[in-house]
């Protein structure tokens, strides 16, 4: 057995955080790593890790054969979910949403002889009504049905850094021009910093006990804030009064499409997230991440700290 691990999306937010913390805490030797990237395998920023023994291979989720080639010689795969959300728009039927990318990779994994897959799912509910969770649940079901390899499904908490998206598709453009933000629902969210998720996820990948085999685990911070409370924090650190306005889903879609100029397919896909918030899907009280962070002398990064830094950075 090669004992090599293929890491996908090493340039992405979560994949990058996982790789960074694997190296920082010396969880896995670079010589055991194969980095699968859609960018050039000859990118100079990978020269350092190559010198330490890692292999970098170019591959694409669109191309199953390229993924099969990237996985050669590996027995484990860390699969970061695809960021191409447009695949989910317009109520994509099963097999046609983002899960199509995941299935491409997993079919390649079977052909390449992968023995275990770590998959990054998302911190919504088992029977989520959100659009964003549909592809994850379909991928989870695919993994549970496989006989070729074991799996660890890691439901990653909603990123601290993603709060502007939940506050009405906002962006950190320095303007913070809206003082009243229409959204189609509210509820508690167990916000979790990307770098903390990187540590926790890396620790699960590095674990050799087998306790995460064929398991679904959740990594999230124990503190939680709803969107109204997030708006209060934004007000606190921006010096501007920012409030949310609860509206029905139709008005949410109308406002963001007609008045904000956003893509209808994207807004109709995203608006279902607010119904999930109302159902409490994103409130997670699992201590696992806190315990994993403690193994490396860390405490969870507070959500308010992230909001403060992000708001003050654009003032």
């Amino acid at each position: 057995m090669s004992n090599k691990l293929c890491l996908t999306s090493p340039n992405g937010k979560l994949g990058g955080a996982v790789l960074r913390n694997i190296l920082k805490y010396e969880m896995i030797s670079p010589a055991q790593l194969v980095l699968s990237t859609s960018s050039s395998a000859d990118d100079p920023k990978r020269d350092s890790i190559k010198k330490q023994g890692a292999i970098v291979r170019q591959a694409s989720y669109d191309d199953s054969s390229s993924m099969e080639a990237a996985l050669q010689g590996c027995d484990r795969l860390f699969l970061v979910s695809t960021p191409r959300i447009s695949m989910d728009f317009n109520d994509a039927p099963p097999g046609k949403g983002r899960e199509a990318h995941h299935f491409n990779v997993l079919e390649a994994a079977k052909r390449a002889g992968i023995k275990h897959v770590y998959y990054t799912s998302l911190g919504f509910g088992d029977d989520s009504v959100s659009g964003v969770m549909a592809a994850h649940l379909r991928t989870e079901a695919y993994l549970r049905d496989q006989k070729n390899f074991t799996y660890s499904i890691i439901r990653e908490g909603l990123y601290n850094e993603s709060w502007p998206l939940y506050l009405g598709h906002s962006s950190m453009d320095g303007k913070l021009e809206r003082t009243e933000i229409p959204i189609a629902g509210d509820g508690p969210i167990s916000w979790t910093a990307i770098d903390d998720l990187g540590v926790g996820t890396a620790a699960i990948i590095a674990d050799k006990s087998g306790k995460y085999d064929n398991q679904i685990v959740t990594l999230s911070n124990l503190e939680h804030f709803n969107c109204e409370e997030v708006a209060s924090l934004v007000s606190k650190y921006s010096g501007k009064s920012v409030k949310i306005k609860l509206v029905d889903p139709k008005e949410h879609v109308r406002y963001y499409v007609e008045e904000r100029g956003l893509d209808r397919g994207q807004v109709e896909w995203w608006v279902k997230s607010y119904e999930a918030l109302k159902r409490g899907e994103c409130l997670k009280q699992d201590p696992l991440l806190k315990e994993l962070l403690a193994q490396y002398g860390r405490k969870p990064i507070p959500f308010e700290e992230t909001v403060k830094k992000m708001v003050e950075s654009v003032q």
Side-chain angles (χ1 to χ4, degrees), residues 59-81:
S60 169
Y61 287 2
D62 287 306
D63 182 358
S64 188
S65 62
S66 73
M67 287 303 309
E68 182 180 356
L71 293 170
Q72 292 303 310
C74 298
D75 60 4
R76 295 184 296 152
L77 165 65
F78 172 59
L79 175 58
V80 178
S81 58

Side-chain angles (χ1 to χ4, degrees), residues 5-6 8 71 75-79 105-106 109 114 116-118:
L5 167 70
C6 179
T8 64
L71 293 170
D75 60 4
R76 295 184 296 152
L77 165 65
F78 172 59
L79 175 58
V105 179
L106 294 170
I114 291 293
H116 189 88
V117 174
Y118 306 89

Side-chain angles (χ1 to χ4, degrees), residues 40-269:
S40 172
D42 297 323
D43 191 324
K45 69 182 179 182
R46 295 297 178 202
D47 287 349
S48 175
I49 194 168
K50 285 181 181 178
K51 290 177 181 177
Q52 298 174 65
I55 297 170
V56 181
R57 293 171 176 162
Q58 185 174 16
S60 169
Y61 287 2
D62 287 306
D63 182 358
S64 188
S65 62
S66 73
M67 287 303 309
E68 182 180 356
L71 293 170
Q72 292 303 310
C74 298
D75 60 4
R76 295 184 296 152
L77 165 65
F78 172 59
L79 175 58
V80 178
S81 58
T82 179
R84 199 179 301 173
I85 60 173
S86 60
M87 297 172 72
D88 288 345
F89 295 172
N90 304 309
D91 294 320
K96 300 298 184 180
R98 285 181 296 157
E99 70 275 10
H101 269 179
H102 307 153
F103 295 170
N104 274 348
V105 179
L106 294 170
E107 287 299 315
K110 286 195 285 189
R111 296 194 300 271
I114 291 293
K115 302 302 182 187
H116 189 88
V117 174
Y118 306 89
Y119 172 68
T120 64
S121 187
L122 190 59
F124 280 77
D126 290 336
D127 57 348
S128 182
V129 296
S130 71
V132 71
M133 191 65 182
H136 291 296
L137 292 176
R138 293 167 183 174
T139 305
E140 290 183 11
Y142 179 103
L143 286 166
R144 291 197 301 271
D145 287 343
Q146 293 309 303
K147 306 301 182 185
N148 299 76
F149 44 69
T150 54
Y151 65 84
S152 300
I153 294 168
I154 307 167
R155 289 190 179 168
E156 311 281 357
L158 277 57
Y159 299 167
N160 279 8
E161 296 82 356
S162 70
W163 63 263
L165 176 60
Y166 290 82
L167 254 61
H169 312 269
S170 299
S171 63
M172 295 302 294
D173 57 8
K175 297 178 181 178
L176 294 172
E177 79 281 10
R178 285 185 291 159
T179 57
E180 184 177 77
I181 302 174
I183 59 174
D186 198 6
I189 300 173
S190 299
W191 302 99
T192 313
I194 293 173
D195 198 62
D196 287 347
L197 292 171
V199 175
T201 302
I204 289 172
I205 294 171
D207 185 89
K208 297 180 180 179
S209 70
K211 64 183 176 182
Y212 300 113
D213 289 2
N214 297 329
Q215 298 295 312
I216 298 176
V217 299
T218 298
L219 296 180
S220 67
N221 202 343
L222 294 176
E223 64 172 357
H224 53 85
F225 297 80
N226 63 23
C227 292
E228 182 178 13
E229 292 166 330
V230 176
S232 294
L233 291 177
V234 175
S235 299
K236 176 180 177 180
Y237 293 113
S238 69
K240 302 174 183 179
S241 177
V242 179
K243 298 182 181 297
I244 64 167
K245 176 185 178 182
L246 295 178
V247 298
D248 65 37
K250 287 184 178 179
E251 172 57 18
H252 180 107
V253 173
R254 185 207 66 78
Y255 173 79
Y256 287 102
V257 173
E258 297 181 9
E259 299 191 33
R260 302 294 295 178
L262 300 184
D263 175 75
R264 178 175 292 276
Q266 181 172 355
V267 177
E268 290 178 342
W269 170 75

Side-chain angles (χ1 to χ4, degrees), residues 296-314:
Y296 298 94
R298 291 178 52 152
K299 295 181 179 180
I301 297 169
F303 175 67
E304 183 169 350
E305 180 181 308
T306 301
V307 175
K308 180 177 187 291
K309 286 183 178 179
M310 290 176 66
V311 171
E312 291 181 346
S313 72
V314 298

